[in-house]
Amino acid sequence: MAIVEHAVAARDSRELEVVLENQRRPLTGYCYRMLGSPFDAEDAVQETMLRAWRAWERFHGDCAVRTWLYRIATNVCLDSLAGRKRRALPFDMGPASPPDPALLNTRPDETWLEPIPDSMIQGLDASDPADVAVARETVRLAFVAALQHLPPRQRAALILCEVLRWQATEAAELLETSVASVNSALQRARARLAEANPGEQTRAEPLDRGQRELLERYVSAFERYDMSALTELIQEDAVQSMPPFDMWLAGRENIFSWWWGPGIGCRDSRVLPAGTANGSAAFGQYKPSETGPGREPWALQVVELGSDGIAKLTFFLNTGPLFKLFGLPPRLD
């Protein structure tokens, strides 16, 4: 933070470049939680950088540089959110469906919350275990989806104070409002967040050895399409969704009915590790090509663990941009 504060007195472009690059990952995490898309977050951070460059000569140090940058980023996000519907997960769209392909309904890509690689967000690699725990908990898919239920300014106040741990006075300065207004917004935001995200049972802690081994067994069993082995790994009350389809399935029995029915084309898939997304394990799934040899990208799987195994499977089917973002090959030959 010292280099950020020192920049108030240093006006050369090189100094500003260092300041901006030091803030890129924190700003990306902030914008992602605001917007629900890593691609929108990258665009918002880039626009924040451009606006900061253009305004730098007019910045006279009347607030901390960090506050100034986050004020710009907040305004960029608020502009982006104006008139836009919130991003969501299929679980937010209505009750679970039976495994019937006639119920599949595709919605536009901008409808859906999108996963982000942990490497793009500051805090998940912090040395303080408490900071890591907060970062993981507040980037989980369910938490970010719940954030989208909040009005944009409430959302900003909650992220600043509850996630980034700003003081209410700092948030009030950034949002150009009173401390009382910030505290009131926080109270309303917490209540709405509790309503939007009830009973979430997935784990946000770093994986231990046993959990890593469980995920390795899952990949092996999924590639073999071994339902007996998968039964031991997937919780009976697990859920599955497949954006951009708004259908979601509740219960292991329904999930397996889908995999052996309409989803049988996933048999003989190959699954590659893709690091972590939103604090959970991510994998790139490639299923056999219908037009020739090799395997084509099908889904980025985000696998969330519960107390007794795999609790949630989200198959993001918008593979082109996501596979590139997660460093996965465009196809397997």
Side-chain angles (χ1 to χ4, degrees):
M1 188 55 64
I3 192 170
V4 175
E5 300 304 327
H6 174 67
V8 174
R11 294 299 183 187
D12 65 278
S13 59
R14 175 58 184 164
E15 189 76 26
L16 178 58
E17 182 180 349
V18 172
V19 168
L20 295 179
E21 285 307 312
N22 273 277
Q23 290 298 305
R24 183 176 293 276
R25 287 179 68 214
L27 284 170
T28 299
Y30 175 65
C31 293
Y32 173 71
R33 292 177 175 97
M34 285 289 292
L35 302 174
S37 163
F39 309 107
D40 289 353
E42 284 187 314
D43 290 344
V45 171
Q46 191 61 31
E47 178 63 21
T48 298
M49 302 294 189
L50 289 173
R51 293 189 189 184
W53 273 107
R54 292 168 184 158
W56 182 241
E57 292 300 322
R58 301 192 301 275
F59 177 69
H60 301 299
D62 51 348
C63 65
V65 173
R66 181 184 69 159
T67 302
W68 178 67
L69 284 175
Y70 274 81
R71 181 181 296 159
I72 296 172
T74 300
N75 289 331
V76 170
C77 290
L78 294 178
D79 290 345
S80 178
L81 290 168
R84 179 195 292 184
K85 293 183 178 179
R86 66 180 176 88
R87 288 182 177 267
L89 292 169
F91 313 109
D92 302 317
M93 294 296 189
S97 301
D100 181 352
L103 300 176
L104 281 179
N105 180 38
T106 304
R107 300 204 186 194
D109 289 341
E110 59 268 20
T111 305
W112 303 111
L113 188 78
E114 296 170 319
I116 190 170
D118 287 1
S119 58
M120 291 178 63
I121 298 177
Q122 190 176 56
L124 294 168
D125 55 355
S127 57
D128 185 343
D131 290 340
V132 174
V134 170
R136 284 184 176 276
E137 182 65 27
T138 60
V139 80
R140 288 185 306 115
L141 289 170
F143 182 85
V144 179
L147 284 175
Q148 309 310 301
H149 288 266
L150 303 177
R153 291 181 67 84
Q154 274 188 27
R155 195 182 311 173
L158 186 101
I159 296 169
L160 290 168
C161 295
E162 301 282 307
V163 177
L164 303 182
R165 300 183 179 181
W166 286 34
Q167 297 296 319
T169 51
E170 296 177 289
E173 183 181 18
L174 182 149
L175 295 170
E176 298 179 325
T177 187
S178 66
V179 172
S181 294
V182 168
N183 286 330
S184 177
L186 286 174
Q187 186 175 7
R188 295 194 304 273
R190 292 184 190 116
R192 293 195 64 173
L193 204 62
E195 294 174 0
N197 187 26
E200 178 63 23
Q201 298 298 318
T202 57
R203 302 166 66 106
E205 298 88 356
L207 298 177
D208 59 31
R209 180 177 177 179
Q211 292 166 333
R212 289 193 296 270
E213 290 176 351
L214 184 151
L215 290 167
E216 291 171 1
R217 290 163 57 203
Y218 164 74
V219 169
S220 174
F222 188 88
E223 290 187 332
R224 301 193 315 272
Y225 235 52
D226 183 342
M227 297 300 143
S228 294
L230 288 166
T231 298
E232 298 178 2
L233 305 173
I234 298 176
Q235 293 182 179
E236 186 177 359
D237 60 351
V239 294
Q240 173 189 307
S241 65
M242 303 168 290
F245 298 116
D246 56 13
M247 167 191 280
W248 64 279
L249 305 171
R252 185 175 60 210
E253 182 177 347
N254 282 327
I255 293 172
F256 286 176
S257 293
W258 183 269
W259 288 4
W260 274 107
I264 194 63
C266 289
R267 185 169 54 179
D268 198 29
S269 288
R270 292 294 174 265
V271 179
L272 298 185
T276 49
N278 298 76
S280 296
F283 303 94
Q285 178 191 342
Y286 299 78
K287 72 175 188 177
S289 172
E290 296 179 356
T291 59
R295 291 178 174 82
E296 298 175 344
W298 174 247
L300 183 85
Q301 298 186 15
V302 178
V303 181
E304 300 179 65
L305 301 181
S307 57
D308 298 316
I310 293 170
K312 186 178 291 187
L313 293 154
T314 310
F315 293 72
F316 292 93
L317 306 185
N318 183 15
T319 53
L322 285 176
F323 273 44
K324 183 176 181 180
L325 185 69
F326 280 82
L328 291 162
R331 66 175 285 118
L332 298 180
D333 294 324

